[in-house]
Amino acid sequence: MKYITVLITLLLFADCEAQTQSTEKKVKIGAEVLIEKHLDKLDGKRVGLVMNPTARIEETHMLDTLISLGINVTALFAPEHGFRGEAGAGERIEDGVDAATGLPVHSLYGNTKKPSAEMLQNVDLLIFDMQDVGARFYTYNSTMKHILEAGAEFDKEVWILDRPNPAGGDYVSGWVLEEEHKSFVGSYPIPVAHGLTLGELALMAKGEGWLEINGYSPNVKVIEMEGWNRVMKWSETGLNWFPPSPNLPSFEHAYLYLGTCLFEGTTLSEGRGTPNPFLTIGSPKTFINLSELRAVSEKYSVIIDTVSIVPRSIPGKARYPKYEDEKIFGVKINATPDTQDPVRFGVELVNLLMEKTEDAEYSDFIYLLAGTKKIIDENGEINWGEEFEEFLIKRKQYLIYR
């Protein structure tokens, strides 16, 4: 009976995602609003695009759309994974040329993270368009910070084409980043799951003085979405899912990633090199059974099963994954329509699996992801602290959507 119940739940979740793809679209993204209402404001402008493969209207990349509409695009800027998504996680992006248009591509994920004066010499206005996942440690928001700083320093207007926060605008969870753990996977003093769109985060970064601009004034314009509200998770938007990175092929992966990404700061595999990265966790020395997982699975309404699998190198997705070509043992996770608080779930799962894994170790990277050392120093009940409550109060004035 247990396995029948699990199968039914999985089928219901799959059906929910399938219906999402066919649901009449409810949300009009900022890119569409730009085309419909603001295109004339680009006349006579030399436009630079900061984009990745998610910068699409339906199936068409925004670069190709803007070129077809006669916009004078003069330069492209590539974040992690590349402008059109040709690189895997963490792979260095090189400067180059876009094969389809012949436009120069400037890397923002190599030695250079912030556009230089030379990169911007033929640009009047920068348009930033990427689908975020709502995690502080997702590098696109750090790239946006550097774009805002460069725009301020070199007097370039920056437009943010807003897109939904897939986890919803009311879901906020995790420790607020402490200054000593600031990095490219943690650029702002915000919780792990911040509940903001990138447009809202840009306004908050400007308003709270989080930008390193040496007295310059950033000129930021958010092209707002239409039809999105804070209670919406991705499955309610009617939008198609384009993977924001190769290891997040579905909303389910991206939602649980908010917590399971923490395993990147341990010696356990986070599932890269398997069919389900961030949903498959383990190591050759992880020993756990279903009864030990029941409490955490029921608490957060997730389905957890034990698994054994061999990670493989996958070009463009997972080069040299942990325990490549070795059998790992651990867990396979599935979300359900009722799954709650993936960040807190991830913290509890880290604690549980580290206890059940012989010779398991943390790396210093765990502090950068969590934004604190409390993830391994704190005993008993998980407490996000006073800074979390202060963030909730501060962010209210920057919320565009209700």
Side-chain angles (χ1 to χ4, degrees), residues 35-340:
I35 299 302
E36 291 183 8
K37 299 183 177 181
H38 303 281
L39 206 61
D40 60 319
K41 300 179 181 66
L42 298 180
D43 288 348
K45 301 281 189 181
R46 298 172 298 172
V47 178
L49 304 182
V50 190
M51 296 181 177
N52 69 2
T54 63
R56 295 172 183 268
I57 298 177
E58 300 298 340
E59 297 294 327
T60 306
H61 198 284
M62 273 298 286
L63 167 61
D64 303 318
T65 296
L66 292 172
I67 291 289
S68 71
L69 292 170
I71 302 303
N72 183 23
V73 179
T74 55
L76 311 177
F77 298 87
E80 183 178 9
H81 306 297
F83 191 87
R84 293 192 185 262
E86 63 277 5
E91 290 185 24
R92 179 188 176 93
I93 304 298
E94 302 290 348
D95 292 344
V97 174
D98 179 63
T101 62
L103 288 167
V105 180
H106 302 291
S107 169
L108 299 181
Y109 195 73
N111 291 334
T112 300
K113 298 290 195 300
K114 174 183 170 183
S116 65
E118 183 179 2
M119 292 178 183
L120 295 172
Q121 64 181 348
N122 294 317
V123 172
D124 301 312
L125 180 150
L126 288 160
I127 296 180
F128 183 101
D129 186 16
M130 298 182 207
Q131 179 59 59
D132 192 43
V133 300
R136 182 190 63 223
F137 42 64
Y138 213 56
T139 62
Y140 299 158
N141 66 60
S142 292
T143 295
M144 182 180 73
K145 178 176 181 288
H146 290 311
I147 290 296
L148 295 173
E149 290 169 349
E153 181 176 353
F154 301 117
D155 195 25
K156 311 294 181 181
E157 189 173 2
V158 179
W159 289 10
I160 310 293
L161 308 188
D162 222 3
R163 291 177 178 266
N165 184 320
D170 285 338
Y171 175 56
V172 185
S173 187
W175 294 282
V176 171
L177 176 75
E178 297 166 357
E179 179 66 24
E180 66 182 292
H181 302 302
K182 189 175 181 181
S183 72
F184 197 63
V185 293
S187 290
Y188 314 87
I190 59 178
V192 172
H194 48 72
L196 299 167
T197 69
L198 286 184
E200 291 172 332
L201 180 55
L203 296 180
M204 190 169 186
K206 176 184 176 181
E208 294 297 314
W210 296 341
L211 303 176
E212 299 171 26
I213 51 179
N214 299 320
Y216 295 105
S217 179
N219 188 350
V220 185
K221 179 182 180 69
V222 178
I223 306 298
E224 300 177 14
M225 295 179 283
E226 295 178 359
W228 189 75
N229 61 64
R230 311 209 73 77
V231 301
M232 282 185 173
K233 286 187 170 60
W234 187 267
S235 56
E236 300 170 271
T237 64
L239 297 169
N240 291 328
W241 181 263
F242 294 103
S245 56
N247 285 289
L248 299 178
S250 75
F251 166 60
E252 180 186 16
H253 291 78
Y255 189 52
L256 288 171
Y257 163 87
L258 297 176
T260 58
C261 181
L262 294 170
F263 282 96
E264 291 195 315
T266 75
T267 52
L268 276 70
S269 167
E270 69 284 351
R272 294 186 191 275
T274 77
N276 285 291
F278 301 106
L279 304 183
T280 305
I281 312 294
S283 85
K285 294 184 177 182
T286 299
F287 303 101
I288 195 164
N289 59 53
L290 286 175
S291 63
E292 294 170 307
L293 297 164
R294 186 171 296 119
V296 70
S297 64
E298 291 177 353
K299 183 176 181 180
Y300 295 100
S301 298
V302 296
I303 298 168
I304 308 179
D305 203 352
T306 54
V307 69
S308 62
I309 195 168
V310 178
R312 306 289 190 189
S313 182
I314 305 172
K317 186 175 182 180
R319 294 182 63 193
Y320 316 120
K322 292 177 184 174
Y323 307 113
E324 181 180 2
D325 299 329
E326 293 184 55
K327 181 176 284 189
I328 63 171
F329 306 93
V331 299
K332 169 68 174 67
I333 311 160
N334 284 98
T336 74
D338 298 317
T339 294
Q340 302 294 318

